[in-house]
Amino acid sequence: MKGKTMKIAQRIARLGTETAFAVSAEAAAFAAEGRKVYPFHLGDMNLRTPANVMEAAIKAMHDGKTGYCPNAGIPQLRETLAADVSASHGIPYTMENVAIQPGGKPTISKFFLTLMNPGDEVLYPNPGYPIYESQIEFHGGKARPYSYIEGERNFEIDLDMLARQITPRTRLLVLNDLQNPTGAECRAAELEKLAELVRAHDLYVLCDEAYFDIRYEGRSTSFAALPGMAERCVILYTFSKKFAMTGWRLGAAIGPREIIDIIIKLNVNDESCSNHFVQYAALEGLTGDQRATGQILKTLRERRDAAVDRLNSIEGVRCFRPNATFYLYPNVTGAMQKKGLTDYDAFRRALLHETGVSVCTRLHFGRPLAGEKNFYIRLAYAGIDTPEIEAGLDKFKAFIES
Ligand code: PLP
């Protein structure tokens, strides 16, 4: 093998990644030295999948649901999910609007493959889930970022910036309402303004609703439910977060039938079908006892409050208390100044090495934009218990204030 120069396809140069995985590797290396790590960098959950969901998967295996199944997913799951999302969104979906996927993530690339031509421009959130930027560019599109700004109670989309980014070549919008990393949630006025822009510029929309059900009070509103939007929106649905099923890999693309039919054809080409017996587990998740999912939210909320209270007690740190997601995106500009640091990675590493607190920073959520003046880090609290949150953030405080 030595000495051979591989002729890798050119498109691979445009493929991005989730650099947050490198933070996990650094934290693991630090832990391997026998040091204590407080894992706030993880997007993963340390909560167990509900027992009834696990049992349904085991039963399905024993019942022989171990062969291929329909490319679009088993009909019972498509029907049940369509009914569930119709009820929560107020949109009349049927099973023809649902294509089951091996996770939420595959909907991202399948959306671009279906609707984006090379050179088309796509509006996407930055800071945001890094896979949008990667997949837009990989498939030959032009990624046009829009940003978030600090509002009174939470982050808000910078709608002026978003409108300025629209050109005659803009074709698609990616909206991750209940957002990773900021925890932002659009207010009604923001959603309406976005719908106006979508209508005016004839855009299609990827509604990444990975966190639609991870909310602590009130009900989520889907952008797809606004007048005229359902026919323009593909919803990324996932079982990962609500049912603590990140490793099971099951989700869905939900949208207009013409688009879903193409996505099903992409399923045929990519993976034939999603895991057969896992679909019976998901069915149990949707229709069975909901007590465990309620407990998941209760635990997450307790963690959120512990983390926000402690972060806001640290000099130079300012953190909203988002009503959704399991992420916090505090402004740490003052804290970094206090430590004499102007570099994200230097701050992140100093924090890890001095306290064991492992976080992601703004750099892990897209290429920084010109003119950014404030510094942010992202803490996830889905993979760390409350006593550890408290102990870790007490060390964080002592480090900043020392
Ligand atoms: N979209 C967003 C915004 C996410 O944060 C994630 C996972 O962290 C996903 C999609 C993918 O979720 P899944 O695990 O279902 O593929």
Side-chain angles (χ1 to χ4, degrees):
M1 300 293 273
K2 241 178 154 190
K4 174 102 180 88
T5 309
M6 296 282 174
K7 293 195 177 101
I8 302 295
Q10 287 164 4
R11 72 175 79 84
I12 296 301
R14 302 195 301 270
L15 187 64
T17 187
E18 284 190 53
T19 50
F21 286 119
V23 177
S24 293
E26 264 182 62
F30 190 68
E33 290 168 16
R35 313 283 298 270
K36 171 81 186 154
V37 170
Y38 299 93
F40 288 98
H41 58 274
L42 291 173
D44 205 355
M45 308 175 81
N46 68 347
L47 300 166
R48 281 173 76 96
T49 305
N52 57 322
V53 172
M54 293 204 266
E55 277 152 23
I58 294 164
K59 178 173 183 311
M61 278 189 264
H62 285 299
D63 287 348
K65 310 295 185 193
T66 50
Y68 293 120
C69 68
N71 314 112
I74 59 171
Q76 305 93 300
L77 181 61
R78 292 174 75 200
E79 260 169 30
T80 306
L81 186 56
D84 190 86
V85 173
S86 296
S88 58
H89 287 52
I91 304 170
Y93 289 122
T94 65
M95 67 177 273
E96 282 75 27
N97 299 110
V98 177
I100 299 298
Q101 301 297 320
K105 205 180 221 175
T107 296
I108 300 174
S109 63
K110 289 174 185 170
F111 173 83
F112 293 131
L113 282 167
T114 305
L115 291 161
M116 186 182 74
N117 284 309
D120 283 350
E121 294 182 7
V122 185
L123 303 164
Y124 78 102
N126 182 343
Y129 191 49
I131 294 306
Y132 313 133
E133 202 174 68
S134 166
Q135 288 290 319
I136 295 165
E137 295 182 349
F138 183 57
H139 295 298
K142 297 261 182 294
R144 295 281 178 244
Y146 66 85
S147 191
Y148 281 82
I149 42 182
E150 287 184 53
E152 255 174 48
R153 305 198 53 182
N154 203 347
F155 288 90
E156 297 169 5
I157 291 179
D158 185 343
L159 285 169
D160 292 334
M161 177 187 188
L162 185 147
R164 280 198 308 273
Q165 290 285 55
I166 298 177
T167 76
R169 301 226 54 178
T170 308
R171 222 170 108 64
L172 305 173
L173 164 69
V174 178
L175 178 63
N176 174 212
D177 200 15
L178 314 194
Q179 206 239 4
N180 177 7
T182 60
E185 179 180 9
C186 287
R187 289 159 301 130
E190 274 173 281
L191 291 177
E192 273 160 32
K193 176 74 188 157
L194 284 171
E196 245 173 59
L197 291 169
V198 164
R199 262 182 236 112
H201 299 279
D202 194 18
L203 308 179
Y204 283 88
V205 186
L206 173 65
C207 294
D208 182 339
E209 297 187 354
Y211 300 96
F212 193 83
D213 295 305
I214 303 294
R215 68 174 300 126
Y216 307 113
E217 268 170 31
R219 282 168 65 100
S220 299
T221 303
S222 173
F223 178 70
L226 271 74
M229 290 302 112
E231 64 223 46
R232 296 173 175 276
C233 290
V234 175
I235 293 171
L236 178 159
Y237 179 94
T238 180
F239 290 90
S240 291
K241 323 283 173 177
K242 181 177 179 185
F243 301 105
M245 290 175 75
T246 50
W248 292 64
R249 310 311 300 138
L250 202 71
I254 305 175
R257 190 166 174 179
E258 297 83 334
I259 297 175
I260 294 303
D261 283 347
I262 298 167
I263 289 182
I264 293 168
K265 203 167 169 186
L266 289 167
N267 287 2
V268 177
N269 280 269
D270 282 357
E271 64 274 327
S272 297
C273 63
S274 296
N275 183 308
H276 193 169
F277 53 82
V278 167
Q279 296 186 48
Y280 287 88
L283 199 53
E284 171 63 22
L286 291 174
T287 57
D289 193 329
Q290 297 298 308
R291 270 174 299 182
T293 53
Q295 186 56 44
I296 289 172
L297 282 178
K298 194 163 165 273
T299 303
L300 290 174
R301 183 183 182 141
E302 181 190 296
R303 293 179 183 180
R304 176 200 66 177
D305 289 338
V308 171
D309 290 344
R310 277 192 162 57
L311 284 167
N312 279 325
S313 78
I314 303 173
E315 236 184 290
V317 176
R318 185 167 76 221
C319 185
F320 291 119
R321 190 182 305 264
N323 190 25
T325 79
F326 39 64
Y327 301 114
L328 301 172
Y329 198 62
N331 182 326
V332 294
T333 314
M336 282 177 64
Q337 269 164 5
K338 214 164 169 319
K339 298 306 283 185
L341 293 166
T342 50
D343 175 67
Y344 269 122
D345 269 339
F347 180 64
R348 183 180 60 75
R349 291 213 173 94
L351 192 59
L352 176 65
H353 288 266
E354 298 295 325
T355 70
V357 170
S358 179
V359 299
C360 291
T361 72
R362 191 269 176 266
L363 296 185
H364 300 102
F365 300 95
R367 288 188 286 266
L369 309 173
E372 284 184 17
K373 292 193 187 72
N374 287 304
F375 288 84
Y376 298 91
I377 58 173
R378 191 202 71 173
L379 291 88
Y381 53 84
I384 176 166
D385 296 330
T386 301
E388 297 278 284
I389 290 175
E390 292 170 348
L393 295 184
D394 283 347
K395 290 193 173 165
F396 188 159
K397 182 177 167 78
F399 167 64
I400 299 299
E401 295 176 2
S402 65

